[in-house]
Amino acid sequence: ENNIVRPKGYKVSWHSNPEIEKHHFGHAHPMKPWRLTLAKGLIMSYGMHTAMDTYVSRLATREELEDFHSEDYLDYLKTAMVAMPDDETPKDYNLGGSDCPIFEGLFNYCSMYAGASIDAARKLCNNESDIAINWSGGLHHAKKAEASGFCYVNDIVLAILQLLRKHPRVLYIDIDVHHGDGVEEAFWSTDRVMTLSMHKYDGLNFFPGTGDLDRTGPDSEGNPGAHHAINVPLSDGINDEQYVWLFKTIVGRCVDKFQPTAIVLQCGADSLAGDRLGRFNVQVQGHGTCVAYCKSLNIPLLLVGGGGYTPRNVARAWAHETSIAIGCDADLDPLIPEHTPYREHFRHNTLFPTLEQILGEPRVNRNTKKKLDEIVSTITEQLRFVNA
Ligand code: ZLM
Ligand code: CA
Ligand code: ZN
């Protein structure tokens, strides 16, 4: 096993619990908590755990969950019947459908990934970490009293609420291929949280169907949340060069104007090329460059996971991004170590497979330069209304 040198005076904490990985959404469901096992195996085979403070996370308490979720929703989530066949389960709170099935241990699963994000946020609040990581979190669609899109409890909202105890302004950035609607909605009416989501948007078909460029916050006069929601709607096939340019340009301008004192980055890996549900041509390198850019801002940073439905690519991305957080990315051999568990899943034995290796034929890029320039100039205009 390799040993990574821990950079002096720079602290990264890794929050996880192996119990989370053992849950199953059901046969053929795209969300596979097991992808976390694959990612952890890769991270550890590079020896990266030796350069972080590692914590086995605990269950979020009822009281902590109630910071965002309603009591009746939490009651139902806790007692929802496992035995009932899918088609007989009542669809209360959007639970029990094919997207958000009720499965064994559901409430423990939710409490564990939420506990990890809350712990991670607290490490940032008391300056015990500069970057805190929870790859099992990032479940951005969950609402106050509703499950949505594979998400039941919104760990991101709970973590941001922790950060707001110490931090005047939090910037939330979401690079999952889906719109971060649950987080956006939770902080819709406050100017202490700016939400920025990049996502596939086609006005109708692609889940959750929201996130157009003109969705910028409440338009009621005098509402402090006005202009504090930022949405970057994208088309199929966007590549690394375009994606990273948009990310740096827009995040750079948001940071200049909003002056966040903490950043939460949702690193959904379904924006990668070859994802089972995604539509983009983003590669592990480009995805990681977004993390590196956030790190370079030297603002306390919470990294959470999110989507990601081709497990080998999820593992590659989150391992690479862990190495960026630690600062050992340049030292890693891109060839996946021989002793990596489940190495047979990495048919191309590199952290950075080419588009041809991933896809055979890359997806057609439907994003024109003109459209991307329009997005940047519209958001630049929007940010004229934002002050720190
Ligand atoms: N049908 N099985 C992203 C959340 C995306 C809603 C259309 C379900 C699926 C999908 C489930 C095994 C995040 C929708 C889809 C079929 C109504 C979505 C179970 C395949 C399967 O094979 C499947 C029987 C299932 C679900 C595909 N669902 C693809 N896309 C989205 C939710 C979550 O990545 O952003 C964060 C973790 N749901 O499009 C339907 C409208 C349900
Ligand atoms: Ca997104
Ligand atoms: Zn997603």
Side-chain angles (χ1 to χ4, degrees):
E1 198 171 83
N2 312 332
N3 257 309
I4 303 286
V5 181
R6 180 193 288 249
K8 276 222 172 61
Y10 190 81
K11 298 196 95 184
V12 180
S13 58
W14 184 26
H15 304 260
S16 66
N17 188 327
E19 288 301 308
I20 299 174
E21 304 155 21
K22 296 176 187 156
H23 292 85
H24 295 275
F25 280 60
H27 176 71
H29 194 288
M31 177 56 98
K32 301 194 182 308
W34 178 81
R35 70 207 171 123
L36 297 164
T37 310
L38 201 61
K40 179 178 69 181
L42 194 52
I43 289 166
M44 292 183 67
S45 73
Y46 277 109
M48 288 189 251
H49 54 298
T50 64
M52 300 184 274
D53 294 327
T54 57
Y55 296 94
V56 177
S57 48
R58 53 166 185 99
L59 301 173
T61 65
R62 169 82 189 198
E63 204 187 356
E64 288 170 332
L65 295 172
E66 280 178 11
D67 277 348
F68 178 55
H69 294 285
S70 75
E71 295 193 38
D72 54 327
Y73 174 56
L74 292 171
D75 287 340
Y76 191 84
L77 195 59
K78 188 161 188 167
T79 58
M81 288 296 295
V82 182
M84 235 183 270
D86 258 6
D87 51 359
E88 286 173 33
T89 313
K91 301 285 189 286
D92 305 85
Y93 308 102
N94 197 29
L95 273 169
S98 52
D99 273 356
C100 300
I102 295 163
F103 54 83
E104 200 168 325
L106 172 61
F107 194 74
N108 271 338
Y109 165 76
C110 298
S111 304
M112 272 188 282
Y113 73 70
S117 287
I118 293 167
D119 276 352
R122 292 208 178 125
K123 285 280 159 202
L124 296 174
C125 281
N126 61 25
N127 299 316
E128 284 183 54
S129 306
D130 300 300
I131 301 181
I133 302 174
N134 172 20
W135 295 129
S136 68
L139 298 157
H140 58 178
H141 298 305
K143 310 293 181 339
K144 180 186 169 79
E146 195 185 295
S148 173
F150 320 160
C151 307
Y152 303 82
V153 159
N154 200 317
D155 62 293
I156 304 168
V157 170
L158 296 172
I160 293 174
L161 290 171
Q162 290 296 323
L163 291 170
L164 288 173
R165 293 176 171 199
K166 276 279 171 63
H167 286 276
R169 288 175 306 282
V170 177
L171 173 61
Y172 171 67
I173 310 169
D174 184 317
I175 60 172
D176 190 287
V177 75
H178 299 98
H179 176 221
D181 57 349
V183 184
E184 180 184 90
E185 184 182 298
F187 299 109
W188 189 245
S189 293
T190 176
D191 55 4
R192 292 185 60 202
V193 179
M194 174 178 275
T195 61
L196 160 58
S197 175
M198 300 176 60
H199 42 263
K200 151 89 184 168
Y201 178 80
D202 61 11
L204 187 68
N205 294 308
F206 198 72
F207 188 86
T210 48
D212 203 358
L213 188 56
D214 62 8
R215 183 177 169 84
T216 61
D219 47 21
S220 56
E221 207 175 319
N223 192 311
H227 317 296
H228 283 70
I230 295 173
N231 282 296
V232 182
L234 301 168
S235 304
D236 289 3
I238 192 167
N239 62 29
D240 266 11
E241 190 192 339
Q242 292 174 318
Y243 196 89
V244 168
W245 176 76
L246 273 176
F247 185 91
K248 288 185 177 177
T249 307
I250 296 170
V251 172
R253 288 177 196 188
C254 288
V255 169
D256 281 348
K257 293 291 288 190
F258 184 61
Q259 298 277 309
T261 59
I263 296 179
V264 178
L265 177 59
Q266 195 266 22
C267 303
D270 49 6
S271 43
L272 293 171
D275 188 82
R276 179 176 160 192
L277 300 189
R279 307 287 181 88
F280 294 167
N281 284 340
V282 172
Q283 295 179 257
V284 172
Q285 293 95 320
H287 206 267
T289 301
C290 298
V291 176
Y293 183 77
C294 288
K295 180 186 175 179
S296 76
L297 297 167
N298 284 315
I299 298 169
L301 178 61
L302 173 55
L303 299 178
V304 292
Y309 306 101
T310 302
R312 58 185 178 275
N313 294 334
V314 179
R316 286 179 169 113
W318 292 348
H320 175 54
E321 288 159 17
T322 303
S323 78
I324 289 168
I326 299 166
C328 68
D329 47 307
D331 307 327
L332 292 196
D333 185 342
L335 284 183
I336 291 172
E338 285 296 340
H339 63 276
T340 298
Y342 310 102
R343 194 169 182 277
E344 66 278 12
H345 285 258
F346 303 101
R347 196 167 68 81
H348 304 286
N349 60 356
T350 166
L351 280 182
F352 308 108
T354 62
L355 279 182
E356 289 65 33
Q357 287 174 326
I358 299 165
L359 293 163
E361 200 65 43
R363 202 178 270 279
V364 175
N365 186 350
R366 306 261 176 221
N367 299 273
T368 61
K369 171 90 176 99
K370 182 163 171 287
K371 184 75 187 98
L372 301 187
D373 284 341
E374 256 171 52
I375 290 172
V376 167
S377 68
T378 303
I379 291 173
T380 305
E381 276 302 297
Q382 177 186 344
L383 288 172
R384 289 177 53 219
F385 298 99
V386 171
N387 302 297

